[in-house]
Amino acid sequence: MKQPIIVAIDGFSSSGKSTMARRLAAKTGYRYIDSGAMYRAVALYALEHGMIDDNGQPLADALIAALPHIEIDFVPQADGSQHTMLNGQDVEAEIRRLRVSNVVSPVSAIAQVRKALVSMQKAMGNNRGIVMDGRDIGTVVFPDAELKIFVCSSPETRAQRRLKEMIEKGAAVTYEDVLANIVNRDHIDSTRAESPLRRADDAVDLDNSNMTIAQQDEWLMQQFENALNK
Ligand code: DC
């Protein structure tokens, strides 16, 4: 059998990274890790412990002090998906809400938060055989990943997709709210001092604006086979 590899998928928010990463993991039997869910879980912890001020900014010192008390896990579900656990509690639905999306970028810009999560993520890749998606997976977490993908698509396309997902889950949001959140997060994620979203030099680009999920799956599987057989 071929040695298992690491697949790193980076890109802007709502670019479809998680869908493609999850589907590749299911097909290959690899472990899937949504690194954004880990930042979202920390943001939820901050919200629930009064560590977000009236301007939506995290109280960094308090949050850094609390980091040793934040435990994040993923629990596989019968349908093949997995749920994010925060200190033993299933927070999968909660971390996808707009109130978390609105504060997660400044939380993820705190250097010590990144340091703690990056070290957990590196440990998850010890045995390889993993597909991880995020912003800094190919650049910081797994700079030696055998396959790195950088996904992009326009903010409008991403806002439409995200809106559809949120409405399907019963959220009362408007296209304008979702687009504003995406544009704002793009800005914070790509301009922050600590590990900004950046394409790894050896990443393969994918613009999926006009691709179906099936086309995207096929393209990714081809990239996977190429990397595995290198
Ligand atoms: O992929 P997402 O939208 O669920 O990510 C939530 C936030 O977490 C996003 O605003 C940026 C941040 N993030 C990060 O800084 N680094 C990662 N590896 C993954 C996510």
Side-chain angles (χ1 to χ4, degrees), residues 99-179:
R99 79 176 183 119
V100 173
S101 300
N102 283 336
V103 300
V104 65
S105 279
V107 165
S108 71
I110 300 172
Q112 288 88 337
V113 168
R114 303 203 69 79
K115 201 167 156 228
L117 295 191
V118 166
S119 90
M120 285 173 62
Q121 291 155 4
K122 281 182 188 280
M124 291 168 173
N126 275 347
N127 298 327
R128 307 192 92 76
I130 191 168
V131 184
M132 192 178 289
D133 75 337
R135 304 292 189 288
D136 60 344
I137 310 305
T139 51
V140 176
V141 180
F142 298 126
D144 64 343
E146 288 82 358
L147 177 58
K148 299 180 185 179
I149 310 284
F150 192 80
V151 193
C152 64
S153 49
S154 71
E156 291 75 17
T157 305
R158 289 184 281 130
Q160 286 292 2
R161 285 187 192 141
R162 185 105 188 103
L163 180 69
K164 188 167 167 274
E165 253 172 45
M166 293 181 88
I167 288 177
E168 278 167 7
K169 286 184 188 158
V173 284
T174 65
Y175 171 76
E176 286 70 28
D177 287 344
V178 176
L179 181 63

Side-chain angles (χ1 to χ4, degrees), residues 13 39-40 66 79 92 94-95 97-98 127 145 147-148 154 160 167 177 183 189 196-198 218 220 222:
S13 55
Y39 290 94
R40 287 173 177 271
D79 66 357
E92 187 56 37
E94 196 62 34
I95 60 168
R97 302 230 160 94
L98 202 53
N127 298 327
L147 177 58
K148 299 180 185 179
S154 71
Q160 286 292 2
I167 288 177
D177 287 344
V183 169
D189 295 347
L197 171 64
R198 190 173 62 74
E218 194 185 328
L220 184 58
Q222 189 61 57

